[in-house]
Amino acid sequence: MSRPLPRVVVLAGGVGGSLFVRGLREALRERHPGVSDAELAAAITVVVNTGDDLWLAGVRLMPDIDSLLYRLAGVADEERGWGRREESERVSAELGAWGVGWPWFTLGDLDLGTHLARTSWLRDGASPGEVVARLSRRWPLGATLLPMTDAEVDTQVRTAEGDLHFQEWWTRHRASLAPLGFDNPGIEDARPSAGVLEAIGAADAVLIAPSNPVVSIGPILRVPGVRAGLASASARVVGVSPVIGGAVVRGMADVCLTAIGVETRAAAVAAHYGARDAGGLLDAWLLAEEDAGESAEVAALGVRAEVRPLWMREVPLAARLAADALDVALG
Amino acid sequence: MSRPLPRVVVLAGGVGGSLFVRGLREALRERHPGVSDAELAAAITVVVNTGDDLWLAGVRLMPDIDSLLYRLAGVADEERGWGRREESERVSAELGAWGVGWPWFTLGDLDLGTHLARTSWLRDGASPGEVVARLSRRWPLGATLLPMTDAEVDTQVRTAEGDLHFQEWWTRHRASLAPLGFDNPGIEDARPSAGVLEAIGAADAVLIAPSNPVVSIGPILRVPGVRAGLASASARVVGVSPVIGGAVVRGMADVCLTAIGVETRAAAVAAHYGARDAGGLLDAWLLAEEDAGESAEVAALGVRAEVRPLWMREVPLAARLAADALDVALG
């Protein structure tokens, strides 16, 4: 008989998060030959950032949820880096002709099918959590996706030129407008969506994906109850640095870190999350070999520093990284 | 100098109505060479049935409005008889995969662009009348489209198996379930949309298109204020029979007529509308040559009977018919 599957909770954003979760799924498949997708879905719970969500052209978009959904389902456009494979943009061209939506934000036709289904279910009274559960039934994902909250707490970016929705700042301006800060209006009244705290409480391991600490992991941690749930979790909380060799691996996380006064260094991000023993988040922190010199600094925070290869451009590398993180959490 | 353009109001449903209005536009162009689309739009006001409207997959459809919009714009799929030319159905296939919408009701991609724009504007607080005005700006229509009302008064069909939305009865069941009656719930509290009563009051001619008398013209007449507006209009009200030779020209209007106890005869439809002198609608009624024998019956109602060629499969024939109706109204 094989060992029982560990129950793993991952806090994650979209692109980096989905690669990490695919790696985790692959690592569990390697360690538990013959494991079914349903068993994996019962074992892996991903608490997903919804700060990127938005209303556009009358439909509700959940970009990080969809990134995870499409990538776990194997229907994502890996080359382009977002959306569905074999996508077209006929509706989007019409929306442009009608002057609806954002001209710099393309809605693919297949993707719009998802947005329309989601919006229709929301209109019928389903919660975002229920909507994500319904979306998750179409393909065998091998993971359970939970939005961090059912509340609409879209991330706003404060700039000298006024507040922007995160997507406008990120996609239209490519994060070029200096951010003064990030807010999730209303988040103080939000609650974790159904299952989030239960999954954290029952977990054998909690992993913080190498997602953007500010605008991906940050909103999840701001949902009231999540920090307390992590603090009291019986599982170890292990984070993976999104910074390698003093640079962010993807996206424009450095701009976000700078805006909140955090250096783009692996140890600085660990310090930002803080040691669980000291009221923070982490029991352990995985740093890249390039950043091994920062290990002592991390350890001084009261966080176990573990040096591992962090590059995960492909699923096999992500599987190795996820296995390493899991071992640190379970070992 | 050419004669001034007459101000014409047409009550109309979608398919038959749009051909008739295209004919009217063409007739006015022939009589007023050099007339601009803007001048035509100021002269021709179409009061459009919205009983066919529906919410589907979270978006608002206005089928009769869109029929008129697409056909007047010249972007309709004339061969298929509905929707846009060069249409595709990629989103609809996705919606089917998500189990959203009606499997028997295809939403074209280009068409969905319209529905999404409309729904987005409605979400932003625009009224249906304002939405139709915005939709009408994209192409030079040569006519002004007004929804009969801003209220949602979707037609329900009573059958022995329960109530159905008109679209389900019409499109899914091809009107095969015997209707016991047609209702527009809430219509008693509806008001004509902005401009409807003003256009009727200022009209030089009011024409009833040869649309379905029960489910296209019927709902328009049920909007409180419309009948009174027509009764007090200074213009003549001229109807065109949708029945030729004892058969309806298109659609399944005979089933609808039977359901409300009206024979499928030109004179019976005239009697259903009634003479304006006797509290009804009509000053005059155009019958086909095939139905010339019913002229006396129409005249006995107190309605002037005029026999004309009513077939209008192509725009030139529709233009001749519209010109005839206009002459009866203005002459």
Side-chain angles (χ1 to χ4, degrees), chain B residues 80-297:
Chain B
R80 187 172 59 168
W82 55 276
R84 294 275 301 270
R85 252 202 321 271
E86 293 165 18
E87 186 55 288
S88 52
E89 295 162 6
R90 298 205 81 205
V91 179
S92 217
E94 282 298 300
L95 291 176
W98 292 120
V100 165
W102 286 333
W104 40 268
F105 197 102
T106 300
L107 294 165
D109 295 328
L110 304 181
D111 207 17
L112 256 170
T114 311
H115 306 327
L116 277 163
R118 171 167 38 234
T119 307
S120 172
W121 293 331
L122 289 172
R123 266 187 66 89
D124 290 344
S127 68
E130 290 162 348
V131 164
V132 170
R134 285 203 214 178
L135 291 173
S136 299
R137 276 183 220 136
R138 178 166 171 189
W139 296 290
L141 302 183
T144 296
L145 307 181
L146 300 180
M148 66 188 197
T149 179
D150 285 340
E152 286 187 16
V153 292
D154 305 5
T155 301
Q156 299 287 322
V157 186
R158 267 178 284 131
T159 78
E161 274 122 291
D163 287 6
L164 299 176
H165 189 284
F166 172 76
Q167 292 292 351
E168 186 165 10
W169 177 75
W170 186 263
T171 306
R172 180 182 193 180
H173 297 288
R174 307 299 302 162
S176 64
L177 292 174
L180 304 175
F182 302 90
D183 302 306
N184 296 90
I187 203 165
E188 58 281 2
D189 298 320
R191 291 188 305 137
S193 75
V196 167
L197 295 182
E198 294 78 354
I200 291 171
D204 300 309
V206 176
L207 308 179
I208 315 294
S211 300
N212 188 315
V214 185
V215 296
S216 294
I217 305 299
I220 303 174
L221 298 175
R222 274 199 287 283
V223 177
V226 168
R227 277 189 176 276
L230 292 167
S232 65
S234 58
R236 284 204 195 111
V237 179
V238 178
V240 177
S241 175
V243 174
I244 299 181
V248 293
V249 174
R250 69 183 61 75
M252 298 159 281
D254 46 348
V255 180
C256 303
L257 286 166
T258 303
I260 64 164
V262 175
E263 289 177 90
T264 304
R265 293 172 55 245
V269 176
H272 167 65
Y273 285 145
R276 190 144 76 131
D277 285 349
L281 190 67
L282 300 172
D283 294 305
W285 187 239
L286 267 57
L287 306 92
E289 288 143 329
E290 294 89 326
D291 302 311
E294 298 176 19
S295 291
E297 192 179 338

Side-chain angles (χ1 to χ4, degrees), chain A residues 82-264:
Chain A
W82 54 276
R84 294 276 301 271
R85 252 202 321 272
E86 292 164 19
E87 186 56 289
S88 52
E89 295 161 3
R90 299 205 79 204
V91 179
S92 217
E94 282 296 300
L95 291 176
W98 291 120
V100 165
W102 286 334
W104 40 269
F105 197 102
T106 299
L107 295 164
D109 295 327
L110 304 181
D111 207 19
L112 256 171
T114 311
H115 306 327
L116 277 163
R118 170 167 39 233
T119 307
S120 172
W121 293 330
L122 290 172
R123 266 188 65 89
D124 290 344
S127 68
E130 290 162 348
V131 164
V132 170
R134 286 202 212 178
L135 292 173
S136 298
R137 277 184 219 135
R138 179 166 172 189
W139 297 290
L141 301 183
T144 297
L145 306 181
L146 299 180
M148 66 188 198
T149 179
D150 284 341
E152 286 186 15
V153 292
D154 306 5
T155 301
Q156 299 287 322
V157 186
R158 268 177 283 130
T159 77
E161 275 122 290
D163 287 6
L164 300 175
H165 189 285
F166 171 76
Q167 292 291 350
E168 186 165 8
W169 178 74
W170 186 264
T171 307
R172 181 182 192 181
H173 296 290
R174 308 298 303 161
S176 65
L177 292 174
L180 305 175
F182 302 90
D183 303 305
N184 295 91
I187 203 164
E188 57 282 2
D189 300 319
R191 291 188 306 137
S193 75
V196 167
L197 295 182
E198 294 79 353
I200 290 171
D204 300 308
V206 176
L207 308 180
I208 315 296
S211 300
N212 188 315
V214 185
V215 295
S216 294
I217 305 299
I220 302 175
L221 298 175
R222 274 200 287 283
V223 177
V226 168
R227 276 188 176 277
L230 292 168
S232 64
S234 58
R236 284 203 194 111
V237 179
V238 177
V240 178
S241 174
V243 175
I244 300 182
V248 294
V249 174
R250 68 183 62 74
M252 298 160 280
D254 47 347
V255 180
C256 303
L257 286 167
T258 303
I260 64 164
V262 175
E263 288 177 272
T264 304

